[in-house]
Amino acid sequence: LLCRGMQASKNKNTEKTGPFYRLSVPKQKTSSEIINEARNVLRTLRTRRPFTPTEDQRKLFGSGSCRAPQNRPPSVFSLHASSFDLAESRPASGVRLSPLDHKPILVTSAKDEDRPISLPKPPVDDAEVRKVSSARAHLFRRSSQGNFLSAKMVTSDQNEEKLDEEPAKMNNLCRNNNCLAEQRSCTPFNDETRQLICNEHISGLEGEDFRKGTAGTLFHMRGESDQMKKPGTGSSWPRSMGWKRRVAGLEDETRINESEEEEIFWHVRILPILHGLEKVEDNIENLCLACTKLYQALNEGNMLRKRFKGRNVLLKTLYKLVDIDSDLFHLKLAKIILAMKVDGKALLGVCKLAFNICRNEKNDYIVQKDRLLDCLLEVLRTEDLQKNNEAFLYCMGAIKFMSGNAVLINEMVNKGAVEMLLQLMKQINNIKENDTCFSNLGHLLVQLTATLRNLADFPAARGRLLCGAAVSELCVALEQRMNDKDICTYIVRIFSKLSSYNDFCAALADCSRCYVLFLALLNKHQKQQDLVIRIIFILGNLTAKNNEAREKFFKEKGSINTLISLFQTYHELDLNAQKWYHERGEEGKNHPEHPSEAEDVLIKLISVLANLSIHPSVGAALAAAHRVVELLVTVLEYKSVDDCEELVINAATTINNLSYYKVKSSAVEDKKLRIAEMLLKLLMSNNMDGVVEAVRVFGNLSQYHEICDFIIKKKIYKFVITLLDAKNQDVCFSACGVLLNLTVDKNKRALLMDEGGIGKLVDCLQDFGPADWQLACLICKTLWNYSENITSAASCFGEDTDTLLVLLTSLLDEELVLDYSLDRNLRNYHKLYWETEFKPVAEKLLHRIQSHHSLCPAVTVTPF
């Protein structure tokens, strides 16, 4: 007798008791085991990733944000010159100096440009050279002590401007913080030194026009420097100062020379362009061209990232031009201002300017062409996060907009944006909740995680996210920002996308902390469907192929209770929606093609239960969980396959998985007749997938005598025999499972012959035998059970006797049936299954038939 295994077999491998298609698994495993996966009694379920619609408009915060408008930074604002605070945009310079009484003349307009400007004249004799050189060196030595002139702080904007308009020689004093901090004690300078400085300063404003005397000026400057460097000349340097003082004096003199060269470059190359930009009546094209020339000139003069005399004049001119309404022109301005390395309010203003430009999707091309991304990434890379968190917010918002463009996102990945964003997230995660900027950085983290969500769609970025330890940082952020639904949603969306890929799914499954975080989120935001559905989807992916993940999740405190609570919540929502639908008299109309929000949650939640049930101990526990089984049966009761196919079939599959476990107090066993009633409804539907799933469940449940009687009473066996004509291996396999268990009962065996079942089984063996040894084995087991009390082969198998004899003989011929054109692994797999599963059963069946059949006529059998 064969039932749930071939009990009469001499081969002990086939004597194990179990469900009819719980076949022994070969110890030898190969890559071709995938053939067996679709046939397993316990099956995992995969579902579609939740759909996230694209925002209609580019905003700092999406339309679904939980942040109230009054509690979040604005996405729309106006920018003017007043939005930029020049005082804050100045580079730090150590101690601020009081302005001198003398105010030099600076060419800032066309009228002033005609006025002759003189450069310093070289001294007449060597003594004067030595005197001036000594005074200059003495001056810079004193300045390094931070005690030069009054150290009075300048607070007013007027004094700021006066300070910046001092000559290059004075400006050089406060340009280097290291210079000011070098020494702290030295004798005060005398009046003679002060007088020399003033004389030199005044003489620097008397001379010929820069553009007319550039070459001569440079000659005089070099000459003075050479005289100082020339050995053997007289000098007022004290001998006690030594060699180090002389080197310091030469370095200071070099800086003076560089400052004078910058001043020449400023008047010759920069000022003419600024004058052109001030002609606001000119057209945008010319203004953009002037900005391009300005950027190139500043870059050529190495003035973009350094402090120089005309820096404030330049920035003021650029800030005034912000009022011109042109995104292209604003882009040119932003690029220059960002390259000038401004900070404070000016940095915030220019980041807002970049944000406004990128907010318009039509500007993506010009943004890419002008390489604005490089400037914004530089801000994130170099600026201080806590001091400039609002500027970072709008900078990150602009980058987020760029990440919505396929070309720009590729550029972002190539320029290391993924690694940079993960590093920025790490900085944010290191800031504690009691820190004053913790809350504001939450707004920034929304932009950052939204950008990573866009990057997660890009193949090249996924590998970098995996290598960059994104899982751990995202989990830390999730834990710290549990109360911020926006951040939680974006992080969960990232995981939702990436968990669809095996490598990232494995990395996430290894992060044991993620399970407790997901459960905490589900309990906290239970009715937030967009968040819940993605977490459930992630859990479904984690438990689909990883047995360790199934065990880890199950062992988390309250994990199953959380799933049950969610099941009840969304089951009630679905019932209420269905009730409302029927009350409106629309039950006759077609239902939507896509499942409702509540149905979608239930689909994915049931898939998690189905996947968890694969683990032996977890599956056994779930089979005994009456609340779980009750909810699954309820789905089959109130929901038809026409209403929501995926939901109903998933519920049937999960019940099928749980029905495999024969445990004490099994909820499936207690409700088996109620389940059978629901399966009959599914069996009678026009949905073939639903029919096959119902037959699968009957295959397990038919091990119970009550279910076998139900199958006979409801004439389900006729339908099952008919399925053998489906010419589909999986359908035939499921049908054979039910027939195998029916033939255990001697009183039910005759039904197989009455409905033509023997002939259909022989046809299936001939059609699928060599290609599917599992199915061939199952057919032979069914025929073995059927022929237990055989007296004559002809009376038992009828006209199919001879065909069956020849067929079995052929299938037992190893050289004939094993296809050697298969690859080696696949061929070995087929051979192993043929030897361990099919051959023992087929040989016994063949021997039984032959012993009850006297003559074996020649019968033509179609080649396999």
Side-chain angles (χ1 to χ4, degrees):
L1 177 66
L2 285 179
C3 175
R4 302 173 294 277
M6 187 177 178
Q7 298 173 356
S9 174
K10 292 180 182 178
N11 190 330
K12 294 183 180 181
N13 289 333
T14 61
E15 292 178 359
K16 294 181 180 179
T17 301
F20 71 91
Y21 48 105
R22 178 70 170 180
L23 302 177
S24 59
V25 179
K27 294 180 181 179
Q28 225 177 322
K29 293 188 178 181
T30 67
S31 60
S32 57
E33 282 185 60
I34 55 172
I35 297 174
N36 195 30
E37 285 185 5
R39 188 59 57 68
N40 281 344
V41 57
L42 303 181
R43 295 184 303 123
T44 58
L45 292 174
R46 300 302 289 261
T47 57
R48 292 185 298 271
R49 184 164 61 84
F51 173 71
T52 303
T54 306
E55 290 286 344
D56 295 335
Q57 295 179 338
R58 291 183 174 183
K59 297 179 181 178
L60 202 59
F61 300 95
S63 56
S65 174
C66 68
R67 286 165 163 75
Q70 66 272 17
N71 296 330
R72 66 189 190 196
S75 292
V76 180
F77 42 79
S78 58
L79 287 173
H80 306 286
S82 57
S83 305
F84 301 79
D85 183 358
L86 191 60
E88 292 186 22
S89 70
R90 296 190 46 192
S93 57
V95 179
R96 293 188 175 183
L97 306 179
S98 301
L100 297 178
D101 295 334
H102 172 74
K103 185 173 182 179
I105 300 170
L106 179 67
V107 178
T108 58
S109 65
K111 178 185 288 187
D112 295 334
E113 197 172 0
D114 296 330
R115 184 176 301 174
I117 299 176
S118 300
L119 289 175
K121 297 178 181 179
V124 179
D125 53 20
D126 290 344
E128 186 68 17
V129 169
R130 287 194 298 272
K131 185 176 180 181
V132 172
S133 300
S134 176
R136 280 184 175 173
H138 192 53
L139 162 66
F140 284 102
R141 286 197 302 274
R142 298 300 184 197
S143 71
S144 67
Q145 301 168 28
N147 192 29
F148 177 58
L149 295 179
S150 171
K152 184 170 58 181
M153 297 299 293
V154 183
T155 57
S156 68
D157 292 341
Q158 181 179 0
N159 286 343
E160 284 270 350
E161 293 177 16
K162 287 182 179 180
L163 177 60
D164 274 325
E165 291 172 357
E166 287 303 311
K169 294 175 284 299
M170 294 297 293
N171 189 42
N172 189 63
L173 297 177
C174 61
R175 198 166 58 190
N176 192 324
N177 293 334
N178 294 332
C179 179
L180 291 173
E182 198 173 274
Q183 296 179 6
R184 290 296 176 194
S185 61
C186 196
T187 11
F189 60 90
N190 55 34
D191 293 337
E192 179 184 354
T193 305
R194 187 192 301 269
Q195 185 62 42
L196 283 171
I197 296 170
C198 293
N199 290 340
E200 185 182 30
H201 169 61
I202 295 170
S203 67
L205 299 175
E206 299 172 358
E208 297 182 359
D209 189 280
F210 282 102
R211 283 173 292 185
K212 294 180 180 179
T214 302
T217 303
L218 290 174
F219 173 80
H220 288 307
M221 287 160 51
R222 292 287 181 264
E224 183 179 357
S225 179
D226 290 342
Q227 289 184 46
M228 292 183 66
K229 297 175 185 177
K230 188 174 181 179
T233 56
S235 173
S236 59
W237 293 97
R239 292 182 182 274
S240 61
M241 302 303 288
W243 177 80
K244 289 185 179 179
R245 284 293 181 92
R246 290 195 177 117
V247 172
L250 293 176
E251 290 176 352
D252 292 336
E253 187 64 22
T254 301
R255 284 196 290 271
I256 293 173
N257 292 336
E258 289 176 355
S259 178
E260 291 171 347
E261 291 177 8
E262 282 179 3
E263 190 171 351
I264 295 170
F265 189 85
W266 167 264
H267 286 80
V268 174
R269 296 290 306 278
I270 306 301
L271 274 180
I273 301 176
L274 293 184
H275 293 324
L277 283 172
E278 287 178 345
K279 298 175 181 178
V280 294
E281 69 277 359
D282 207 347
N283 61 47
I284 298 298
E285 186 177 349
N286 289 340
L287 288 173
C288 291
L289 183 60
C291 277
T292 302
K293 289 180 179 179
L294 177 60
Y295 184 89
Q296 292 171 348
L298 290 169
N299 190 42
E300 181 183 338
N302 197 26
M303 302 172 76
L304 280 174
R305 301 185 180 184
K306 65 190 296 186
R307 296 175 287 275
F308 58 93
K309 181 178 176 181
R311 175 186 171 91
N312 283 359
V313 175
L314 171 62
L315 289 174
K316 278 185 176 180
T317 304
L318 297 179
Y319 296 158
K320 290 177 182 177
L321 299 173
V322 171
D323 291 328
I324 298 176
D325 186 17
S326 168
D327 285 346
L328 178 59
F329 183 58
H330 285 170
L331 177 59
K332 303 288 185 182
L333 290 177
K335 186 177 178 182
I336 298 173
I337 297 171
L338 286 169
M340 296 290 291
K341 301 295 288 181
V342 297
D343 62 1
K345 192 174 180 181
L347 180 60
L348 173 59
V350 72
C351 286
K352 284 186 171 182
L353 190 62
F355 176 87
N356 273 345
I357 297 165
C358 296
R359 192 171 58 189
N360 188 345
E361 191 174 350
K362 295 178 181 178
N363 292 334
D364 284 353
Y365 175 74
I366 61 172
V367 166
Q368 179 196 353
K369 185 178 178 182
D370 263 288
R371 302 176 69 179
L372 178 62
L373 176 63
D374 294 359
C375 303
L376 297 178
L377 291 177
E378 184 67 15
V379 171
L380 299 183
R381 184 186 294 111
T382 60
E383 297 298 335
D384 186 274
L385 170 64
Q386 297 193 50
K387 290 181 180 177
N388 303 291
N389 64 78
E390 190 176 2
F392 269 56
L393 171 69
Y394 287 100
C395 176
M396 195 67 244
I399 294 175
K400 177 186 72 174
F401 295 151
M402 292 184 192
S403 67
N405 180 284
V407 177
L408 286 169
I409 201 172
N410 182 53
E411 187 179 333
M412 288 173 65
V413 174
N414 292 336
K415 291 180 177 178
V418 175
E419 295 82 354
M420 198 181 306
L421 295 182
L422 290 178
Q423 186 61 34
L424 178 59
M425 179 178 286
K426 188 174 183 179
Q427 290 182 50
I428 298 173
N429 289 342
N430 288 336
I431 295 172
K432 304 305 178 184
E433 190 171 356
N434 56 2
D435 198 292
T436 54
C437 63
F438 181 85
S439 178
N440 287 336
L441 288 176
H443 302 316
L444 172 60
L445 200 53
V446 171
Q447 310 308 311
L448 197 157
T449 51
T451 306
L452 289 176
R453 178 203 64 182
N454 292 340
L455 285 165
D457 281 328
F458 196 65
R462 286 196 292 268
R464 302 194 181 204
L465 285 168
L466 186 61
C467 296
V471 172
S472 59
E473 289 303 329
L474 287 168
C475 284
V476 171
L478 198 59
E479 186 170 9
Q480 291 182 350
R481 308 284 175 166
M482 190 71 68
N483 294 322
D484 193 322
K485 179 179 172 290
D486 289 347
I487 294 175
C488 292
T489 300
Y490 280 121
I491 293 177
V492 166
R493 283 177 176 174
I494 295 169
F495 284 148
S496 174
K497 290 184 177 185
L498 295 177
S499 65
S500 300
Y501 302 92
N502 292 335
D503 52 355
F504 195 92
C505 195
L508 183 58
D510 289 339
C511 180
S512 57
R513 189 66 181 158
C514 76
Y515 303 102
V516 68
L517 290 175
F518 290 149
L519 287 170
L521 281 173
L522 289 174
N523 288 317
K524 188 175 186 63
H525 304 285
Q526 192 168 103
K527 292 190 177 180
Q528 300 293 333
Q529 189 269 351
D530 58 332
L531 189 60
V532 168
I533 194 170
R534 285 169 176 82
I535 298 174
I536 296 298
F537 176 75
I538 296 165
L539 291 174
N541 289 338
L542 290 176
T543 56
K545 293 184 179 180
N546 193 320
N547 221 28
E548 188 178 350
R550 295 166 189 146
E551 186 175 10
K552 283 181 179 179
F553 177 78
F554 179 74
K555 287 184 176 180
E556 287 293 342
K557 185 178 180 180
S559 58
I560 301 303
N561 287 335
T562 297
L563 296 183
I564 291 173
S565 177
L566 284 171
F567 204 141
Q568 291 174 328
T569 298
Y570 284 90
H571 168 59
E572 290 173 5
L573 289 173
D574 189 38
L575 277 177
N576 293 336
Q578 187 168 294
K579 181 180 179 182
W580 177 86
Y581 187 82
H582 290 315
E583 285 176 354
R584 289 175 60 91
E586 299 184 15
E587 58 270 14
K589 297 183 180 180
N590 292 330
H591 286 257
E593 181 180 348
H594 299 290
S596 67
E597 290 184 350
E599 287 173 336
D600 207 8
V601 171
L602 291 174
I603 288 169
K604 290 171 174 55
L605 196 152
I606 290 174
S607 75
V608 174
L609 293 172
N611 295 345
L612 288 172
S613 67
I614 303 297
H615 191 284
S617 59
V618 177
L622 290 176
H626 285 258
R627 292 176 69 193
V628 171
V629 176
E630 176 64 30
L631 286 168
L632 291 170
V633 175
T634 303
V635 170
L636 296 180
E637 283 179 337
Y638 86 94
K639 186 73 69 175
S640 74
V641 72
D642 294 328
D643 290 340
C644 187
E645 175 184 340
E646 191 176 3
L647 176 57
V648 173
I649 292 177
N650 280 9
T653 299
T654 308
I655 290 174
N656 182 47
N657 284 0
L658 297 178
S659 68
Y660 165 71
Y661 296 98
K662 302 299 178 285
V663 294
K664 190 176 181 179
S665 302
S666 169
V668 175
E669 185 177 353
D670 289 349
K671 297 176 173 60
K672 56 182 178 291
L673 285 175
R674 185 177 162 201
I675 292 171
E677 290 284 357
M678 297 305 102
L679 292 174
L680 180 60
K681 183 176 69 171
L682 184 58
L683 198 63
M684 296 297 109
S685 70
N686 294 323
N687 187 293
M688 195 59 189
D689 291 334
V691 169
V692 173
E693 201 58 51
V695 174
R696 284 197 182 107
V697 184
F698 271 123
N700 261 0
L701 294 181
S702 58
Q703 296 174 71
Y704 302 106
H705 294 294
E706 298 92 331
I707 298 300
C708 288
D709 293 340
F710 180 84
I711 290 173
I712 299 300
K713 180 181 178 181
K714 299 294 184 180
K715 301 189 184 302
I716 296 173
Y717 70 92
K718 293 185 177 183
F719 188 80
V720 173
I721 292 174
T722 304
L723 289 177
L724 294 174
D725 290 327
K727 301 301 179 184
N728 179 288
Q729 289 173 249
D730 287 335
V731 174
C732 292
F733 189 88
S734 299
C736 282
V738 177
L739 296 176
L740 171 63
N741 287 336
L742 286 177
T743 54
V744 173
D745 191 337
K746 298 178 181 179
N747 299 324
K748 297 179 176 63
R749 292 171 185 167
L751 298 173
L752 194 60
M753 174 63 81
D754 294 344
E755 298 299 326
I758 300 299
K760 294 180 189 297
L761 287 172
V762 173
D763 289 341
C764 284
L765 185 62
Q766 184 170 346
D767 292 339
F768 304 119
D772 192 338
W773 294 116
Q774 284 183 303
L775 176 56
C777 177
L778 198 59
I779 293 171
C780 289
K781 287 181 178 181
T782 304
L783 293 175
W784 174 267
N785 280 1
Y786 168 74
S787 61
E788 181 188 11
N789 298 321
I790 186 173
T791 55
S792 165
S795 62
C796 184
F797 296 103
E799 59 184 15
D800 297 298
T801 305
D802 295 334
T803 304
L804 182 59
L805 279 170
V806 175
L807 189 57
L808 288 172
T809 303
S810 301
L811 292 174
L812 287 169
D813 186 340
E814 181 178 347
E815 293 184 1
L816 181 62
V817 299
L818 293 178
D819 187 354
Y820 285 90
S821 64
L822 298 171
D823 68 84
R824 184 176 179 180
N825 282 345
L826 193 59
R827 184 169 63 249
N828 290 340
Y829 178 82
H830 272 266
K831 183 178 180 180
L832 187 61
Y833 241 104
W834 177 81
E835 288 178 344
T836 58
E837 297 293 329
F838 173 76
K839 186 179 178 181
V841 183
E843 283 180 338
K844 285 186 168 294
L845 180 60
L846 178 61
H847 178 71
R848 174 181 281 181
I849 296 173
Q850 287 175 337
S851 64
H852 292 84
H853 190 61
S854 57
L855 182 62
C856 295
V859 178
T860 304
V861 179
T862 306
F864 305 120

